[in-house]
Amino acid sequence: MSLISLDAPGREILLMGNEAIARGALEAGISVAAAYPGNPSSEIIGSLAEVAKEMGLYVEWSVNEKVALEVAAAAATSGLNALVAMKQNGLNVASDFLLNLNMTGIRGGLVIVVCDDPAGISSTNEEDSRVFARLADLPLLEPSTFGEAKEMVRFAFEVSRAIENVCIVRSVTRISHARGNVILGPLPSTRLVPYFDTTRSFSALPPSITHPVAHRRLKQAADMLAESRFNGYSGPETPELLVIASGAGVLFSGEVIDTLGLEARVGLLKIGTTWPLPEKLILERLRTAEKVLFAEEVDPVLETNVKALFADNNQRLPRITFLGKKSGTIPDLGELSPGLMTRVIADLTGTAIPDIDADYAESARDALENFTPFRSLAFCPGCPHRASFWAIKKALALDGRNGVLFGDIGCYGLGFLPTGFRQPKTLHAMGSGAGMASGFGKLHDLGATQPALTVCGDSTFYHAAIPALINGLHHRSNFLMILLDNSATAMTGFQPHPGSPVDAMGDPAPPVLLEDLCAAMGIKTLIRDPFDLDDAAMTIFELIQETGTKVLILRQECALVRAKKTPRRYRVHVDPAKCIGEECGCNRFCTRVFRCPGLNWDVSAGKSVIDEAICAGCGVCADLCPRGAIVKESA
Amino acid sequence: MEKDPYNVVVTGVGGQGNVLASQLIGAILVDKGLKVTIGETYGASQRGGSVMSHVRISEKRQYGPLIPPRCADLVLALEPSEAARVLGEFGNPATISVVNTRPVYPVDVISGDLTYPDIDRLFEKIKSLSAKTYFLPATDRALELGSPILANIILMGAAAGAGLLPITEDDLAKAITERVSAAKVDINRTAFRVGADLVNDVPAG
């Protein structure tokens, strides 16, 4: 249940950073919100969708981020306030439109919240979205606490309306997926009525006219940002070390300065308006600085821009040593952390880090080395992807031509790991498995002999794979697209997609079915149940013997979604009289090969057992056991 | 709170409900006027990985979302080897641990590629890294209540019962009503009481 619509100004509650962002948008009076789900951003639109009806909003899970931005832009060119949220990869998808929208501007308020994922905790990359602000001549803000995230989003709408252009807020995992105190502000009582003023047009053409307008708007934003309360300095007038920090770096640095007792020696310049920079404030601090350390995630964006500002003003400034990612003082990748900032600041100030008892430290090291078996990620118990990848593995082995499976983005990206039997061989962007399979399928004309296959989830299919499938079909490429249809955007929290019978606001929606789309294109399309392993494997084998572009839908609901709605299908147990363990010759197939966490190996008995606290009751392992020792009974 | 900030790590394996437990603890304490920051690591959390939430409680300020190394005051562990993992990095001689005794085996252990530590030696290791340790059969009791997911609330009840967290059963009921579902209040109240009773029955090591 979301608390973001609580009408209690002044009340202080615990909110997730993403909820604080959503609350800020509500307080700013948004009418429209749109996104394609992607962690760490998903809860922004998720929580707005929950309160959409109550708050009189239109909220949607769009088919992809570019369309989400276009949907929001329609609202914002009609005078409304609209919010778009996405993860860093999503901004790449939306960027083609963004880099034209910035030239025309808008007539209402449009805020893009992009949630970056330093260290790629739930991402394939850790790109730093802040570079887009400069590329697009748009203002960008970076919150460092949950309360500030809310306030900044509200302010971003003020900026956006004032400059008639998009304003970007960049969050990171440690803000978006953290929780903290947020003081609620008032919610607006009036709503704007959308009206597209047809006396005005929004065309990026010609850039010779629109580009200067974009520059002028950015200059106007710079003035507003410089006067905002999101930048500030705390510390001595002449610090021996000046830390310039943004985002999560602000909290980590501030705590370290306190803990090490360096308040009188080290200053902290917090930058909340990263682009354009608050130049006057920064120059004031540089005037008394000798040594500057940058604390930001991921790329040296602040660092580079502050250095450029220094270069422009160097005749009026002292000699300064700049330390950060360029100097190697801070790693040029990954997250910041309290431990890292403690080491760096202690080292630069010659401060001793309070040490722990040596025996304890030794015992702790022993704990980490000898008592903490690594937990590699695995498909959930009862996950249909495990069965699908097993069927693929079996079909490719039977085929014997060393077929290539091109992977894609979603839970099934974990197919690289042992529980997907390491079947996919590529992993890049949404839909790129289909595009690469389309390309590889044409290499048969040039002498390639390996079959081409790709796996793609249902949500990913709508997002970005359809153009690649059309491309393959039109060019008579030989490949099999296997759609792993688990009826959800599972990786990000089970959001609906265009194939779902409901929309984000819970209203009935006409599902655009995978098989109907493929049939309309004239592609041979079969549907199978991955839990019927032999049938699924034989179907894949047969399809890759054929030429042309083919689609196989392996349809079975996500085990987590299913578990929320329906009881277990089967009660499963191992008959100890039948399981003969290592004597079997099956190489402990159920545990060593199939690796479902619901199974366990009883070392003392030398037999498999089912862990009742974990087993999802799918019953697939019972079909795989060569001795029939795993018994499934209808629950 | 005697110590400020009071740093709590709630740890376990994806799907054990540790994110919800930390959220409930945080919501309750913010309602009591405290500043709470919770850092969570998930994204792939349903999928077998270690999941840890850092809960930082203060009367004075909003702390950052990560606890510095060696600075945990309380560890609530839904899984024993995860307790060792957290103590190894965040433990100190004053850390108190409340630990569910039931292992969740990593897939690499299930497959035989890795071994799970000997359970008695693991418990000894956890004790040696804690000033005080409470071992509880939380999952077993949760299964008796009808669902293994209740182990998280049992652990919360135990920490409260041992005087390690200033939260009551009524606080939990309010937070569950506001943030989860009024229909789930009774079963969570029961789980909380089971935890509070358990902690009084087991001797602290």
Side-chain angles (χ1 to χ4, degrees), chain A residues 1 12 14 16 178-181 255 258 356 360 363 366 373 375-376 378 380 588 595 600 611, chain B residues 34-36 38 40 42 47 56 61 79 82 85 91-92 102 104-105 108 110 113 125 129 177 179:
Chain A
M1 279 195 308
E12 193 163 346
L14 182 84
M16 180 191 261
R179 292 168 203 269
N181 296 51
E255 183 176 344
D258 270 15
I356 198 144
Y360 189 94
S363 178
D366 177 53
R375 290 186 190 273
S376 53
C380 300
R588 279 175 50 188
R595 290 177 185 239
N600 196 7
D611 187 333
Chain B
L34 294 160
K35 304 278 181 210
V36 181
I38 306 174
E40 291 156 356
Y42 61 101
R47 299 160 189 94
R56 313 195 67 194
R61 62 187 258 193
E79 205 282 339
E82 294 308 312
R85 200 185 309 276
N92 62 67
R102 183 173 176 129
V104 176
Y105 298 106
D108 299 310
I110 293 171
D113 296 330
K125 176 52 83 177
L129 291 173
T177 307
R179 290 177 179 261

Side-chain angles (χ1 to χ4, degrees), chain A residues 2 4 59 76 143 202 226 408 423 446 486 521 525 527:
Chain A
S2 180
I4 62 163
V59 179
F202 296 86
D408 221 306
Q423 292 302 294
L446 307 180
N486 61 0
M521 290 183 218
T525 305
I527 303 172

Side-chain angles (χ1 to χ4, degrees), chain A residues 112 185 210 230 248 297 316 329 387 404 615:
Chain A
I112 297 176
T210 54
F230 303 118
E297 298 173 322
R316 286 174 284 147
T329 313
V404 183
C615 174

Side-chain angles (χ1 to χ4, degrees), chain A residues 41-384:
Chain A
S41 76
S42 306
E43 297 81 4
I44 299 172
I45 300 300
S47 59
L48 286 169
E50 272 188 57
V51 303
K53 291 211 167 134
E54 166 198 347
M55 300 298 293
L57 316 179
Y58 173 68
V59 179
E60 72 169 41
W61 287 119
S62 307
V63 69
N64 64 36
E65 293 87 352
K66 177 167 174 279
V67 173
L69 182 58
E70 287 155 352
V71 164
T77 46
S78 303
L80 303 180
N81 280 351
L83 180 82
V84 191
M86 56 194 66
K87 68 183 298 176
Q88 75 279 8
N89 313 73
L91 192 52
N92 303 339
V93 177
S95 63
D96 193 13
F97 179 58
L98 179 66
L99 286 155
N100 289 286
L101 180 64
N102 63 336
M103 304 287 268
T104 70
I106 50 171
R107 204 173 55 80
L110 178 44
V111 172
I112 297 176
V113 178
V114 56
C115 299
D116 282 1
D117 189 13
I121 292 168
S122 48
S123 306
T124 47
N125 72 12
E126 56 166 356
E127 70 180 73
D128 191 326
S129 298
R130 294 177 299 173
V131 296
F132 273 102
R134 191 165 174 167
L135 189 64
D137 289 320
L138 292 171
L140 181 138
L141 304 160
E142 279 190 85
S144 60
T145 66
F146 323 98
E148 192 177 59
K150 190 202 78 167
E151 293 304 319
M152 250 182 200
V153 168
R154 209 170 59 173
F155 176 70
F157 276 102
E158 281 174 34
V159 173
S160 174
R161 288 195 84 86
I163 68 168
E164 297 198 321
N165 212 345
V166 178
C167 188
I168 304 173
V169 175
R170 185 244 195 177
S171 180
V172 291
T173 304
R174 295 301 173 195
I175 305 292
S176 277
H177 272 182
R179 292 168 203 269
N181 296 51
V182 175
I183 300 171
L184 302 179
L187 295 168
S189 50
T190 54
R191 299 247 146 251
L192 299 167
V193 177
Y195 180 72
F196 193 112
D197 179 357
T198 53
T199 63
R200 242 182 106 172
S201 61
F202 296 86
S203 163
L205 275 176
S208 59
I209 292 177
T210 54
H211 202 176
V213 176
H215 285 164
R216 198 174 65 236
R217 287 171 165 154
L218 184 65
K219 175 73 186 62
Q220 194 187 343
D223 296 340
M224 290 183 79
L225 265 48
E227 283 163 25
S228 76
R229 59 193 179 286
F230 303 118
N231 306 306
Y233 175 74
S234 59
E237 196 41 47
T238 310
E240 63 187 86
L241 176 68
L242 173 66
V243 182
I244 303 184
S246 69
V250 175
L251 287 176
F252 296 150
S253 306
E255 183 176 344
V256 169
I257 293 168
D258 270 15
T259 313
L260 296 179
L262 294 169
E263 296 92 334
R265 295 170 58 195
V266 178
L268 177 61
L269 177 58
K270 169 191 180 300
I271 301 295
T273 64
T274 308
W275 187 255
L277 284 175
E279 297 189 355
K280 191 163 157 274
L281 174 68
I282 293 172
L283 288 171
E284 268 167 34
R285 294 323 328 167
L286 292 183
R287 264 180 209 117
T288 58
E290 290 170 28
K291 216 190 290 178
V292 170
L293 172 70
F294 295 96
E296 60 183 323
E297 298 173 322
V298 172
D299 288 337
V301 172
L302 265 183
E303 179 175 339
T304 307
N305 294 339
V306 169
K307 283 178 179 171
L309 181 66
F310 174 82
D312 286 343
N313 296 275
N314 71 85
Q315 288 172 344
R316 286 174 284 147
L317 292 171
R319 295 167 75 100
I320 297 176
T321 308
F322 289 104
L323 302 164
K325 292 168 188 290
K326 194 78 193 296
S327 64
T329 313
I330 302 261
D332 58 358
L333 72 166
E335 292 194 288
L336 299 175
S337 71
L340 169 70
M341 291 313 296
T342 302
R343 285 195 302 278
V344 170
I345 293 178
D347 186 44
L348 292 174
T349 54
T351 313
I353 302 172
D355 214 356
I356 198 144
D357 176 75
D359 289 346
Y360 189 94
E362 174 55 27
S363 178
R365 195 194 50 73
D366 177 53
L368 291 177
E369 263 175 32
N370 299 313
F371 290 86
T372 55
F374 180 71
R375 290 186 190 273
S376 53
L377 294 175
F379 288 127
C380 300
C383 175

Side-chain angles (χ1 to χ4, degrees), chain A residues 588 591-592 595 601, chain B residues 106-115:
Chain A
R588 279 175 50 188
T591 51
R592 189 172 283 153
R595 290 177 185 239
W601 183 252
Chain B
V107 284
D108 299 310
V109 167
I110 293 171
S111 69
D113 296 330
L114 296 176
T115 50

Side-chain angles (χ1 to χ4, degrees), chain A residues 461-587:
Chain A
F461 180 74
Y462 300 105
H463 179 287
I466 294 172
L469 181 61
I470 291 173
N471 188 71
L473 179 71
H474 178 67
H475 293 102
R476 288 175 293 144
S477 174
N478 296 316
F479 74 101
L480 170 62
M481 174 183 257
I482 300 174
L483 295 177
L484 303 174
D485 179 10
N486 61 0
S487 310
T489 317
M491 190 89 189
T492 51
F494 323 113
Q495 295 84 357
H497 57 57
S500 309
V502 290
D503 63 18
M505 302 188 348
D507 286 328
V512 180
L513 298 179
L514 300 172
E515 55 269 42
D516 290 356
L517 271 172
C518 296
M521 290 183 218
I523 300 178
K524 175 172 184 176
T525 305
L526 301 178
I527 303 172
R528 293 290 185 271
D529 177 358
F531 284 174
D532 190 344
L533 285 167
D534 287 339
D535 180 45
M538 279 316 293
T539 305
I540 294 167
F541 172 77
E542 284 162 13
L543 285 171
I544 59 177
Q545 308 314 307
E546 299 175 17
T547 55
T549 306
K550 293 92 40 182
V551 170
L552 170 63
I553 300 171
L554 289 179
R555 179 166 288 156
Q556 185 62 250
E557 195 169 31
C558 166
L560 298 176
V561 173
R562 188 189 160 86
K564 283 183 211 281
K565 294 192 299 198
T566 42
R568 283 184 203 186
R569 219 169 306 191
Y570 298 106
R571 296 188 72 83
V572 185
H573 70 272
V574 176
D575 180 349
K578 286 189 179 165
C579 177
I580 52 172
E582 298 279 13
E583 305 300 310
C584 178
C586 73
N587 186 28

